[in-house]
PDB file of all heavy atoms in Angstrom:
ATOM      1  N   PRO A   1      -4.004 -10.240   7.714  1.00 89.00           N
ATOM      2  CA  PRO A   1      -2.965 -11.303   7.678  1.00 89.00           C
ATOM      3  C   PRO A   1      -3.347 -12.571   6.881  1.00 89.00           C
ATOM      4  O   PRO A   1      -2.570 -13.378   6.566  1.00 89.00           O
ATOM      5  CB  PRO A   1      -2.805 -11.632   9.112  1.00 89.00           C
ATOM      6  CG  PRO A   1      -4.051 -11.161   9.795  1.00 89.00           C
ATOM      7  CD  PRO A   1      -4.569 -10.017   9.013  1.00 89.00           C
ATOM      8  N   ASN A   2      -4.724 -12.648   6.515  1.00 91.00           N
ATOM      9  CA  ASN A   2      -5.187 -13.753   5.665  1.00 91.00           C
ATOM     10  C   ASN A   2      -4.708 -13.745   4.235  1.00 91.00           C
ATOM     11  O   ASN A   2      -4.892 -14.658   3.497  1.00 91.00           O
ATOM     12  CB  ASN A   2      -6.681 -13.897   5.806  1.00 91.00           C
ATOM     13  CG  ASN A   2      -7.176 -14.184   7.175  1.00 91.00           C
ATOM     14  OD1 ASN A   2      -6.509 -15.066   7.883  1.00 91.00           O
ATOM     15  ND2 ASN A   2      -8.197 -13.535   7.651  1.00 91.00           N
ATOM     16  N   TYR A   3      -4.205 -12.539   3.848  1.00 88.00           N
ATOM     17  CA  TYR A   3      -3.696 -12.312   2.449  1.00 88.00           C
ATOM     18  C   TYR A   3      -2.296 -11.812   2.460  1.00 88.00           C
ATOM     19  O   TYR A   3      -2.079 -10.635   2.281  1.00 88.00           O
ATOM     20  CB  TYR A   3      -4.622 -11.385   1.712  1.00 88.00           C
ATOM     21  CG  TYR A   3      -6.005 -11.924   1.571  1.00 88.00           C
ATOM     22  CD1 TYR A   3      -6.988 -11.507   2.537  1.00 88.00           C
ATOM     23  CD2 TYR A   3      -6.376 -12.838   0.577  1.00 88.00           C
ATOM     24  CE1 TYR A   3      -8.315 -12.076   2.460  1.00 88.00           C
ATOM     25  CE2 TYR A   3      -7.650 -13.311   0.508  1.00 88.00           C
ATOM     26  CZ  TYR A   3      -8.610 -12.935   1.383  1.00 88.00           C
ATOM     27  OH  TYR A   3      -9.847 -13.506   1.299  1.00 88.00           O
ATOM     28  N   PRO A   4      -1.306 -12.676   2.778  1.00 88.00           N
ATOM     29  CA  PRO A   4       0.045 -12.204   3.048  1.00 88.00           C
ATOM     30  C   PRO A   4       0.632 -11.554   1.778  1.00 88.00           C
ATOM     31  O   PRO A   4       1.478 -10.661   1.925  1.00 88.00           O
ATOM     32  CB  PRO A   4       0.819 -13.409   3.433  1.00 88.00           C
ATOM     33  CG  PRO A   4      -0.010 -14.570   2.967  1.00 88.00           C
ATOM     34  CD  PRO A   4      -1.476 -14.150   2.950  1.00 88.00           C
ATOM     35  N   GLN A   5       0.133 -11.886   0.573  1.00 87.00           N
ATOM     36  CA  GLN A   5       0.754 -11.251  -0.640  1.00 87.00           C
ATOM     37  C   GLN A   5       0.483  -9.764  -0.746  1.00 87.00           C
ATOM     38  O   GLN A   5       1.073  -9.062  -1.450  1.00 87.00           O
ATOM     39  CB  GLN A   5       0.348 -12.090  -1.904  1.00 87.00           C
ATOM     40  CG  GLN A   5      -1.044 -11.877  -2.320  1.00 87.00           C
ATOM     41  CD  GLN A   5      -2.001 -12.862  -1.497  1.00 87.00           C
ATOM     42  OE1 GLN A   5      -1.712 -13.396  -0.519  1.00 87.00           O
ATOM     43  NE2 GLN A   5      -3.222 -13.008  -2.090  1.00 87.00           N
ATOM     44  N   LEU A   6      -0.715  -9.360  -0.141  1.00 88.00           N
ATOM     45  CA  LEU A   6      -1.077  -7.889  -0.170  1.00 88.00           C
ATOM     46  C   LEU A   6      -0.762  -7.224   1.082  1.00 88.00           C
ATOM     47  O   LEU A   6      -0.920  -6.004   1.219  1.00 88.00           O
ATOM     48  CB  LEU A   6      -2.609  -7.894  -0.481  1.00 88.00           C
ATOM     49  CG  LEU A   6      -3.136  -8.468  -1.723  1.00 88.00           C
ATOM     50  CD1 LEU A   6      -4.651  -8.372  -1.805  1.00 88.00           C
ATOM     51  CD2 LEU A   6      -2.505  -7.757  -2.905  1.00 88.00           C
ATOM     52  N   TYR A   7      -0.367  -7.871   2.163  1.00 93.00           N
ATOM     53  CA  TYR A   7      -0.254  -7.242   3.424  1.00 93.00           C
ATOM     54  C   TYR A   7       0.733  -6.091   3.435  1.00 93.00           C
ATOM     55  O   TYR A   7       1.938  -6.261   2.958  1.00 93.00           O
ATOM     56  CB  TYR A   7       0.269  -8.360   4.447  1.00 93.00           C
ATOM     57  CG  TYR A   7       0.351  -7.827   5.889  1.00 93.00           C
ATOM     58  CD1 TYR A   7      -0.868  -7.957   6.658  1.00 93.00           C
ATOM     59  CD2 TYR A   7       1.472  -7.313   6.480  1.00 93.00           C
ATOM     60  CE1 TYR A   7      -0.818  -7.474   8.033  1.00 93.00           C
ATOM     61  CE2 TYR A   7       1.491  -6.848   7.751  1.00 93.00           C
ATOM     62  CZ  TYR A   7       0.331  -6.942   8.524  1.00 93.00           C
ATOM     63  OH  TYR A   7       0.352  -6.458   9.791  1.00 93.00           O
ATOM     64  N   GLY A   8       0.354  -4.982   3.876  1.00 95.00           N
ATOM     65  CA  GLY A   8       1.210  -3.728   3.853  1.00 95.00           C
ATOM     66  C   GLY A   8       1.025  -2.866   2.699  1.00 95.00           C
ATOM     67  O   GLY A   8       1.597  -1.744   2.616  1.00 95.00           O
ATOM     68  N   SER A   9       0.271  -3.234   1.691  1.00 93.00           N
ATOM     69  CA  SER A   9       0.120  -2.453   0.499  1.00 93.00           C
ATOM     70  C   SER A   9      -0.956  -1.394   0.681  1.00 93.00           C
ATOM     71  O   SER A   9      -1.767  -1.390   1.584  1.00 93.00           O
ATOM     72  CB  SER A   9      -0.241  -3.381  -0.683  1.00 93.00           C
ATOM     73  OG  SER A   9      -1.556  -3.924  -0.523  1.00 93.00           O
ATOM     74  N   PHE A  10      -0.884  -0.443  -0.220  1.00 93.00           N
ATOM     75  CA  PHE A  10      -1.886   0.586  -0.334  1.00 93.00           C
ATOM     76  C   PHE A  10      -2.576   0.566  -1.730  1.00 93.00           C
ATOM     77  O   PHE A  10      -1.899   0.325  -2.718  1.00 93.00           O
ATOM     78  CB  PHE A  10      -1.262   1.998  -0.112  1.00 93.00           C
ATOM     79  CG  PHE A  10      -0.858   2.310   1.335  1.00 93.00           C
ATOM     80  CD1 PHE A  10       0.308   1.805   1.805  1.00 93.00           C
ATOM     81  CD2 PHE A  10      -1.739   3.075   2.114  1.00 93.00           C
ATOM     82  CE1 PHE A  10       0.646   2.120   3.143  1.00 93.00           C
ATOM     83  CE2 PHE A  10      -1.343   3.333   3.413  1.00 93.00           C
ATOM     84  CZ  PHE A  10      -0.174   2.903   3.904  1.00 93.00           C
ATOM     85  N   GLN A  11      -3.876   0.897  -1.691  1.00 87.00           N
ATOM     86  CA  GLN A  11      -4.640   0.843  -2.966  1.00 87.00           C
ATOM     87  C   GLN A  11      -4.213   1.921  -3.898  1.00 87.00           C
ATOM     88  O   GLN A  11      -3.880   3.004  -3.483  1.00 87.00           O
ATOM     89  CB  GLN A  11      -6.096   1.113  -2.515  1.00 87.00           C
ATOM     90  CG  GLN A  11      -7.087   0.368  -3.256  1.00 87.00           C
ATOM     91  CD  GLN A  11      -8.502   0.667  -2.701  1.00 87.00           C
ATOM     92  OE1 GLN A  11      -8.781   1.780  -2.217  1.00 87.00           O
ATOM     93  NE2 GLN A  11      -9.340  -0.286  -2.843  1.00 87.00           N
ATOM     94  N   ASN A  12      -4.257   1.613  -5.177  1.00 85.00           N
ATOM     95  CA  ASN A  12      -4.042   2.611  -6.180  1.00 85.00           C
ATOM     96  C   ASN A  12      -5.430   3.153  -6.680  1.00 85.00           C
ATOM     97  O   ASN A  12      -6.462   2.722  -6.138  1.00 85.00           O
ATOM     98  CB  ASN A  12      -3.228   2.186  -7.379  1.00 85.00           C
ATOM     99  CG  ASN A  12      -3.878   1.156  -8.250  1.00 85.00           C
ATOM    100  OD1 ASN A  12      -5.082   0.965  -8.230  1.00 85.00           O
ATOM    101  ND2 ASN A  12      -3.132   0.498  -9.083  1.00 85.00           N
ATOM    102  N   THR A  13      -5.495   3.938  -7.642  1.00 76.00           N
ATOM    103  CA  THR A  13      -6.812   4.563  -8.129  1.00 76.00           C
ATOM    104  C   THR A  13      -7.765   3.584  -8.521  1.00 76.00           C
ATOM    105  O   THR A  13      -8.941   3.745  -8.344  1.00 76.00           O
ATOM    106  CB  THR A  13      -6.454   5.671  -9.146  1.00 76.00           C
ATOM    107  OG1 THR A  13      -5.466   6.532  -8.668  1.00 76.00           O
ATOM    108  CG2 THR A  13      -7.699   6.427  -9.548  1.00 76.00           C
ATOM    109  N   THR A  14      -7.348   2.474  -9.180  1.00 70.00           N
ATOM    110  CA  THR A  14      -8.238   1.578  -9.762  1.00 70.00           C
ATOM    111  C   THR A  14      -8.686   0.419  -8.875  1.00 70.00           C
ATOM    112  O   THR A  14      -9.411  -0.421  -9.215  1.00 70.00           O
ATOM    113  CB  THR A  14      -7.598   0.848 -11.083  1.00 70.00           C
ATOM    114  OG1 THR A  14      -6.393   0.211 -10.595  1.00 70.00           O
ATOM    115  CG2 THR A  14      -7.262   1.944 -12.108  1.00 70.00           C
ATOM    116  N   GLY A  15      -8.160   0.517  -7.601  1.00 68.00           N
ATOM    117  CA  GLY A  15      -8.587  -0.430  -6.629  1.00 68.00           C
ATOM    118  C   GLY A  15      -7.670  -1.590  -6.437  1.00 68.00           C
ATOM    119  O   GLY A  15      -7.684  -2.289  -5.427  1.00 68.00           O
ATOM    120  N   GLY A  16      -6.641  -1.770  -7.304  1.00 65.00           N
ATOM    121  CA  GLY A  16      -5.602  -2.850  -7.184  1.00 65.00           C
ATOM    122  C   GLY A  16      -4.591  -2.374  -6.166  1.00 65.00           C
ATOM    123  O   GLY A  16      -4.567  -1.230  -5.761  1.00 65.00           O
ATOM    124  N   ARG A  17      -3.726  -3.267  -5.842  1.00 63.00           N
ATOM    125  CA  ARG A  17      -2.618  -2.972  -4.927  1.00 63.00           C
ATOM    126  C   ARG A  17      -1.372  -2.849  -5.807  1.00 63.00           C
ATOM    127  O   ARG A  17      -1.099  -3.680  -6.629  1.00 63.00           O
ATOM    128  CB  ARG A  17      -2.357  -4.096  -3.900  1.00 63.00           C
ATOM    129  CG  ARG A  17      -3.650  -4.432  -3.177  1.00 63.00           C
ATOM    130  CD  ARG A  17      -4.009  -3.442  -2.119  1.00 63.00           C
ATOM    131  NE  ARG A  17      -5.299  -3.699  -1.647  1.00 63.00           N
ATOM    132  CZ  ARG A  17      -5.870  -3.013  -0.681  1.00 63.00           C
ATOM    133  NH1 ARG A  17      -5.317  -1.947  -0.209  1.00 63.00           N
ATOM    134  NH2 ARG A  17      -7.071  -3.287  -0.300  1.00 63.00           N
ATOM    135  N   LYS A  18      -0.619  -1.716  -5.577  1.00 84.00           N
ATOM    136  CA  LYS A  18       0.450  -1.475  -6.493  1.00 84.00           C
ATOM    137  C   LYS A  18       1.643  -0.930  -5.670  1.00 84.00           C
ATOM    138  O   LYS A  18       1.570  -0.328  -4.665  1.00 84.00           O
ATOM    139  CB  LYS A  18       0.078  -0.474  -7.580  1.00 84.00           C
ATOM    140  CG  LYS A  18      -0.965  -0.893  -8.500  1.00 84.00           C
ATOM    141  CD  LYS A  18      -0.464  -1.977  -9.412  1.00 84.00           C
ATOM    142  CE  LYS A  18      -1.577  -2.350 -10.428  1.00 84.00           C
ATOM    143  NZ  LYS A  18      -1.226  -3.585 -11.038  1.00 84.00           N
ATOM    144  N   ASN A  19       2.830  -1.103  -6.312  1.00 91.00           N
ATOM    145  CA  ASN A  19       4.051  -0.593  -5.719  1.00 91.00           C
ATOM    146  C   ASN A  19       4.069   0.954  -5.526  1.00 91.00           C
ATOM    147  O   ASN A  19       4.491   1.442  -4.574  1.00 91.00           O
ATOM    148  CB  ASN A  19       5.275  -1.024  -6.552  1.00 91.00           C
ATOM    149  CG  ASN A  19       5.582  -2.431  -6.418  1.00 91.00           C
ATOM    150  OD1 ASN A  19       4.917  -3.201  -5.713  1.00 91.00           O
ATOM    151  ND2 ASN A  19       6.681  -2.837  -7.015  1.00 91.00           N
ATOM    152  N   LEU A  20       3.643   1.634  -6.624  1.00 92.00           N
ATOM    153  CA  LEU A  20       3.759   3.122  -6.563  1.00 92.00           C
ATOM    154  C   LEU A  20       2.940   3.705  -5.447  1.00 92.00           C
ATOM    155  O   LEU A  20       3.411   4.595  -4.684  1.00 92.00           O
ATOM    156  CB  LEU A  20       3.415   3.698  -7.933  1.00 92.00           C
ATOM    157  CG  LEU A  20       3.443   5.253  -8.003  1.00 92.00           C
ATOM    158  CD1 LEU A  20       4.845   5.752  -7.679  1.00 92.00           C
ATOM    159  CD2 LEU A  20       2.967   5.711  -9.346  1.00 92.00           C
ATOM    160  N   SER A  21       1.662   3.243  -5.315  1.00 94.00           N
ATOM    161  CA  SER A  21       0.874   3.774  -4.316  1.00 94.00           C
ATOM    162  C   SER A  21       1.405   3.511  -2.892  1.00 94.00           C
ATOM    163  O   SER A  21       1.374   4.270  -1.973  1.00 94.00           O
ATOM    164  CB  SER A  21      -0.590   3.262  -4.397  1.00 94.00           C
ATOM    165  OG  SER A  21      -0.660   1.821  -4.406  1.00 94.00           O
ATOM    166  N   THR A  22       1.963   2.264  -2.708  1.00 95.00           N
ATOM    167  CA  THR A  22       2.531   1.917  -1.430  1.00 95.00           C
ATOM    168  C   THR A  22       3.793   2.762  -1.113  1.00 95.00           C
ATOM    169  O   THR A  22       3.942   3.269  -0.031  1.00 95.00           O
ATOM    170  CB  THR A  22       2.943   0.385  -1.443  1.00 95.00           C
ATOM    171  OG1 THR A  22       1.686  -0.328  -1.615  1.00 95.00           O
ATOM    172  CG2 THR A  22       3.488   0.003  -0.058  1.00 95.00           C
ATOM    173  N   ALA A  23       4.630   2.970  -2.119  1.00 95.00           N
ATOM    174  CA  ALA A  23       5.819   3.720  -1.975  1.00 95.00           C
ATOM    175  C   ALA A  23       5.517   5.261  -1.624  1.00 95.00           C
ATOM    176  O   ALA A  23       6.081   5.824  -0.757  1.00 95.00           O
ATOM    177  CB  ALA A  23       6.763   3.702  -3.160  1.00 95.00           C
ATOM    178  N   LEU A  24       4.558   5.800  -2.289  1.00 96.00           N
ATOM    179  CA  LEU A  24       4.058   7.147  -2.058  1.00 96.00           C
ATOM    180  C   LEU A  24       3.472   7.214  -0.667  1.00 96.00           C
ATOM    181  O   LEU A  24       3.763   8.196   0.089  1.00 96.00           O
ATOM    182  CB  LEU A  24       3.064   7.641  -3.116  1.00 96.00           C
ATOM    183  CG  LEU A  24       3.629   7.820  -4.512  1.00 96.00           C
ATOM    184  CD1 LEU A  24       2.403   7.994  -5.439  1.00 96.00           C
ATOM    185  CD2 LEU A  24       4.500   9.045  -4.548  1.00 96.00           C
ATOM    186  N   ALA A  25       2.605   6.228  -0.324  1.00 97.00           N
ATOM    187  CA  ALA A  25       2.020   6.321   1.073  1.00 97.00           C
ATOM    188  C   ALA A  25       3.064   6.198   2.130  1.00 97.00           C
ATOM    189  O   ALA A  25       3.016   6.891   3.226  1.00 97.00           O
ATOM    190  CB  ALA A  25       0.968   5.247   1.188  1.00 97.00           C
ATOM    191  N   CYS A  26       4.012   5.279   2.004  1.00 98.00           N
ATOM    192  CA  CYS A  26       5.106   5.158   3.002  1.00 98.00           C
ATOM    193  C   CYS A  26       5.944   6.402   3.112  1.00 98.00           C
ATOM    194  O   CYS A  26       6.287   6.868   4.141  1.00 98.00           O
ATOM    195  CB  CYS A  26       6.012   3.940   2.640  1.00 98.00           C
ATOM    196  SG  CYS A  26       5.272   2.370   3.010  1.00 98.00           S
ATOM    197  N   SER A  27       6.245   6.999   1.913  1.00 98.00           N
ATOM    198  CA  SER A  27       6.960   8.271   1.896  1.00 98.00           C
ATOM    199  C   SER A  27       6.197   9.425   2.650  1.00 98.00           C
ATOM    200  O   SER A  27       6.786  10.176   3.385  1.00 98.00           O
ATOM    201  CB  SER A  27       7.384   8.678   0.463  1.00 98.00           C
ATOM    202  OG  SER A  27       8.165   7.834  -0.129  1.00 98.00           O
ATOM    203  N   ALA A  28       4.812   9.422   2.405  1.00 98.00           N
ATOM    204  CA  ALA A  28       4.048  10.435   3.056  1.00 98.00           C
ATOM    205  C   ALA A  28       4.040  10.190   4.560  1.00 98.00           C
ATOM    206  O   ALA A  28       4.240  11.242   5.341  1.00 98.00           O
ATOM    207  CB  ALA A  28       2.646  10.340   2.497  1.00 98.00           C
ATOM    208  N   LEU A  29       3.926   8.980   5.049  1.00 98.00           N
ATOM    209  CA  LEU A  29       3.994   8.737   6.414  1.00 98.00           C
ATOM    210  C   LEU A  29       5.322   9.133   7.053  1.00 98.00           C
ATOM    211  O   LEU A  29       5.405   9.757   8.122  1.00 98.00           O
ATOM    212  CB  LEU A  29       3.761   7.262   6.767  1.00 98.00           C
ATOM    213  CG  LEU A  29       2.334   6.823   6.558  1.00 98.00           C
ATOM    214  CD1 LEU A  29       2.186   5.286   6.533  1.00 98.00           C
ATOM    215  CD2 LEU A  29       1.417   7.397   7.584  1.00 98.00           C
ATOM    216  N   ILE A  30       6.406   8.807   6.357  1.00 98.00           N
ATOM    217  CA  ILE A  30       7.731   9.219   6.780  1.00 98.00           C
ATOM    218  C   ILE A  30       7.871  10.709   6.876  1.00 98.00           C
ATOM    219  O   ILE A  30       8.411  11.301   7.801  1.00 98.00           O
ATOM    220  CB  ILE A  30       8.873   8.518   5.937  1.00 98.00           C
ATOM    221  CG1 ILE A  30       8.870   7.025   6.258  1.00 98.00           C
ATOM    222  CG2 ILE A  30      10.244   9.205   6.238  1.00 98.00           C
ATOM    223  CD1 ILE A  30       9.728   6.252   5.193  1.00 98.00           C
ATOM    224  N   ASN A  31       7.375  11.327   5.801  1.00 97.00           N
ATOM    225  CA  ASN A  31       7.389  12.860   5.795  1.00 97.00           C
ATOM    226  C   ASN A  31       6.641  13.453   6.998  1.00 97.00           C
ATOM    227  O   ASN A  31       7.022  14.521   7.494  1.00 97.00           O
ATOM    228  CB  ASN A  31       6.796  13.357   4.505  1.00 97.00           C
ATOM    229  CG  ASN A  31       7.632  13.202   3.330  1.00 97.00           C
ATOM    230  OD1 ASN A  31       8.844  12.972   3.417  1.00 97.00           O
ATOM    231  ND2 ASN A  31       7.076  13.336   2.113  1.00 97.00           N
ATOM    232  N   MET A  32       5.521  12.828   7.393  1.00 97.00           N
ATOM    233  CA  MET A  32       4.746  13.273   8.530  1.00 97.00           C
ATOM    234  C   MET A  32       5.571  13.268   9.870  1.00 97.00           C
ATOM    235  O   MET A  32       5.448  14.158  10.637  1.00 97.00           O
ATOM    236  CB  MET A  32       3.467  12.528   8.651  1.00 97.00           C
ATOM    237  CG  MET A  32       2.509  12.834   7.556  1.00 97.00           C
ATOM    238  SD  MET A  32       1.010  11.815   7.820  1.00 97.00           S
ATOM    239  CE  MET A  32       0.449  11.624   6.170  1.00 97.00           C
ATOM    240  N   GLY A  33       6.314  12.131   9.992  1.00 96.00           N
ATOM    241  CA  GLY A  33       7.202  12.042  11.031  1.00 96.00           C
ATOM    242  C   GLY A  33       6.627  11.373  12.364  1.00 96.00           C
ATOM    243  O   GLY A  33       5.389  11.387  12.579  1.00 96.00           O
TER     244      GLY A  33
END
């Protein structure tokens, strides 16, 4: 919570936080159910 701009994100391959990795991870979680 000390970094609200990154809160909820997932790492991409290079270590940065990105939309694609977060969208894929959220989709994977939803797929798991």
Side-chain angles (χ1 to χ4, degrees):
N2 295 319
Y3 298 94
Q5 71 277 16
L6 298 176
Y7 189 86
S9 67
F10 284 83
Q11 220 177 26
N12 71 14
T13 306
T14 60
R17 308 286 168 179
K18 298 288 181 195
N19 286 5
L20 180 58
S21 57
T22 301
L24 289 168
C26 286
S27 295
L29 287 168
I30 291 167
N31 286 344
M32 291 179 207

